[in-house]
Amino acid sequence: MDLKAWYNDDPFFKSMIGVELLQVNIKNLMAEAQCDDRVREWRWPAGRQGPFCDAKRVIKRGFDENEPARQRDECNVCGKRFDDLTGTIFAGHHQPLKVWMWCRYCMGLNVSKEPMAKELDLDHRDVHQMTTALRAGVVKKSLTSRDLER
């Protein structure tokens, strides 16, 4: 049977003539606030603590101006300020946190980098850097002097 003739005879395909198919951008399926909540859960399962001295005496200092779901804190012991991402691989990167989460999700599904880059609308080099960083671990083993200045 001719495939084109089959499409023309099929009632479903006839009903779809002139209808635009809905395209879903995977990055829009998750809110940034959910991602910040998830990072907090991973990072501090037993409660928030200062990333510089591991003290549990932390004072809330509001939220980030650019990312309203991102909590800011100050360690009551060493006095250093930090946010949810300080000392993690996500700190200082230009990709939103939800893009990192989708990248991690795709890695769990064994999606290769090229289709992942296409789905997330990223350059394949960005996906390579992100997957490499995610494989190394979310929390940095030691904080750098740049992190201490934040």
Side-chain angles (χ1 to χ4, degrees):
M1 176 183 218
D2 179 19
L3 198 55
K4 190 172 183 178
W6 179 77
Y7 282 152
N8 291 334
D9 291 336
D10 186 273
F12 173 76
F13 287 106
K14 279 184 178 179
S15 70
M16 295 302 291
I17 294 173
V19 175
E20 286 186 43
L21 294 178
L22 175 68
Q23 286 189 326
V24 176
N25 185 333
I26 194 169
K27 292 189 292 188
N28 295 332
L29 295 176
M30 184 186 310
E32 197 73 25
Q34 290 174 305
C35 299
D36 283 298
D37 290 343
R38 176 59 77 194
V39 167
R40 275 193 229 63
E41 290 170 17
W42 285 338
R43 187 162 190 195
W44 294 296
R48 300 176 75 76
Q49 62 187 57
F52 305 101
C53 65
D54 294 328
K56 296 199 185 269
R57 293 174 43 206
V58 173
I59 305 164
K60 288 186 179 184
R61 292 289 185 204
F63 295 90
D64 188 274
E65 314 72 58
N66 300 323
E67 298 293 338
R70 189 160 304 143
Q71 176 69 48
R72 285 187 164 166
D73 298 294
E74 182 178 329
C75 178
N76 207 15
V77 175
C78 70
K80 292 188 177 18
R81 291 184 179 220
F82 61 96
D83 67 17
D84 294 332
L85 303 185
T86 301
T88 69
I89 61 169
F90 311 121
H93 287 278
H94 64 280
Q95 295 298 340
L97 191 53
K98 66 181 176 180
V99 173
W100 283 91
M101 295 296 168
W102 278 115
C103 184
R104 175 63 189 99
Y105 178 75
C106 291
M107 287 172 64
L109 296 175
N110 286 328
V111 175
S112 62
K113 292 175 190 169
E114 288 297 326
M116 192 184 309
K118 185 176 180 183
E119 183 65 36
L120 296 173
D121 194 27
L122 297 173
D123 186 88
H124 66 91
R125 292 171 293 217
D126 288 336
V127 171
H128 175 75
Q129 289 176 334
M130 292 169 73
T131 55
T132 301
L134 284 165
R135 283 189 192 97
V138 171
V139 178
K140 296 176 184 176
K141 298 297 180 206
S142 63
L143 295 171
T144 65
S145 59
R146 189 181 97 207
D147 293 324
L148 295 173
E149 294 170 0
R150 287 191 183 164

